[in-house]
């Protein structure tokens, strides 16, 4: 079966702009989580959606937001981009809960200049 | 505060020898632990997990050990192969809807 698909793979944006990243989970997976990976910081949890509802949110400013659609596809949005937002953004899906492990997408590499 | 710690940013071993990657945690509510492997330009992939009711779990060349009293777990890879060279992340789950990850350890297996 198809894996987790993230688009686009690479993105370059200018400070102050906004960006939208997309994630299509594995078919049948209803939970989608987003993580930010920066050098030396590991994976920082952004938020998790299940059946179109945000179930959990990490410690990120309100500029970071997300949503999930009825087909479980998810988008995350970052407004007023800052240089520090440059990172690899990873989407992960699971059937119901994270305890069974995630399947990650390949990520979107965002560079803010 | 960092609840899951991988104190060694990097580890280098010879092919055929044992690789031991360590992970410490502070939250006693964690009751399930997972290891992920990540190659450059790819997302992390699930490797092996362990429940807090066990102290050991094996899957082929990979074994995870859990010491609850010390809040410590380790991943053993025997024998190590060059294809094992990657970044390894330790992750923990405490019943919420997220995994808490460490910062990762970069393993290099030299031929």
């Amino acid at each position: 079966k198809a894996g987790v698909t993230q688009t686009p793979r690479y993105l370059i944006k200018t400070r102050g702009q906004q960006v939208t990243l997309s994630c299509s989970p594995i078919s049948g997976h209803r939970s989608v989580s987003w993580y930010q990976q920066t050098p030396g910081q590991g994976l920082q949890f952004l938020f998790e959606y299940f059946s179109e509802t945000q179930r959990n949110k990490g410690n990120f400013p309100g500029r970071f937001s997300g949503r999930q659609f009825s087909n479980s596809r998810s988008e995350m949005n970052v407004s007023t981009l800052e240089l520090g937002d440059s990172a690899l953004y990873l989407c992960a899906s699971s059937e119901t809960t994270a305890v069974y492990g995630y399947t990650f997408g390949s990520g979107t590499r965002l560079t803010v200049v | 505060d960092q609840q899951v710690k991988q104190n060694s940013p990097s580890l280098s071993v010879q092919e055929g020898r044992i690789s031991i990657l360590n992970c410490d945690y502070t939250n006693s509510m964690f009751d399930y632990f997972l290891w992920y492997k990540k190659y450059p330009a790819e997302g992390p992939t699930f490797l092996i997990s362990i429940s807090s009711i066990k102290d050991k779990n094996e899957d082929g060349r990979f074994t995870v050990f859990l010491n609850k009293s010390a809040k410590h777990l380790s991943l053993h890879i025997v024998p190590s192969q060059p294809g094992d060279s990657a970044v390894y992340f330790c992750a923990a789950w405490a019943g919420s809807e997220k995994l808490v990850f460490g910062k990762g350890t970069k393993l290099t297996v030299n031929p």
Side-chain angles (χ1 to χ4, degrees):
Chain A
K1 57 184 177 182
V4 178
T5 304
Q6 290 189 247
T7 56
R9 287 296 307 274
Y10 302 93
L11 207 47
I12 300 176
K13 289 287 189 179
T14 305
R15 270 183 305 174
Q17 287 187 313
Q18 75 159 18
V19 66
T20 299
L21 312 181
S22 180
C23 171
S24 294
I26 288 175
S27 178
H29 284 192
R30 295 161 64 189
S31 170
V32 174
S33 299
W34 289 88
Y35 283 81
Q36 180 196 65
Q37 185 189 8
T38 53
Q41 289 301 315
L43 280 72
Q44 305 278 319
F45 176 76
L46 281 155
F47 27 65
E48 188 255 356
Y49 289 88
F50 182 84
S51 294
E52 303 178 67
T53 301
Q54 187 181 85
R55 286 200 298 194
N56 210 338
K57 190 176 190 304
N59 296 322
F60 278 81
R63 301 185 296 108
F64 292 81
S65 63
R67 59 177 175 169
Q68 186 180 34
F69 302 96
S70 58
N71 61 358
S72 292
R73 190 178 72 85
S74 177
E75 289 181 346
M76 67 162 281
N77 184 277
V78 188
S79 62
T80 320
L81 284 166
E82 301 177 358
L83 295 180
D85 297 333
S86 295
L88 179 67
Y89 290 88
L90 291 161
C91 165
S93 75
S94 58
E95 288 187 12
T96 54
T97 175
V99 70
Y100 301 115
Y102 294 134
T103 300
F104 280 90
S106 296
T108 294
R109 172 72 63 184
L110 171 65
T111 302
V112 182
V113 297
Chain B
D1 66 352
Q2 195 180 352
Q3 299 183 65
V4 178
K5 300 177 184 178
Q6 294 178 257
N7 293 318
S8 298
S10 63
L11 175 68
S12 183
V13 300
Q14 286 299 118
E15 181 179 4
R17 305 295 291 268
I18 183 171
S19 295
I20 300 176
L21 296 97
N22 294 303
C23 178
D24 297 296
Y25 62 95
T26 57
N27 187 344
S28 58
M29 298 300 291
F30 288 143
D31 61 6
Y32 202 79
F33 303 89
L34 306 90
W35 285 92
Y36 282 81
K37 179 170 72 172
K38 185 181 185 299
Y39 293 117
E42 294 182 15
T45 55
F46 171 74
L47 195 57
I48 191 169
S49 62
I50 187 167
S51 166
S52 60
I53 63 173
K54 295 186 173 182
D55 55 18
K56 177 182 174 182
N57 188 27
E58 286 182 84
D59 184 0
R61 297 185 297 113
F62 302 90
T63 302
V64 57
F65 295 92
L66 175 62
N67 183 332
K68 284 182 62 180
S69 60
K71 293 191 177 66
H72 176 83
L73 64 155
S74 60
L75 174 67
H76 293 210
I77 305 174
V78 184
S80 301
Q81 299 173 354
D84 296 329
S85 297
V87 177
Y88 289 79
F89 291 98
C90 170
W93 183 79
S96 65
E97 303 312 324
K98 67 176 183 179
L99 293 181
V100 179
F101 285 84
K103 293 186 178 182
T105 296
K106 183 178 181 180
L107 173 66
T108 302
V109 180
N110 301 301

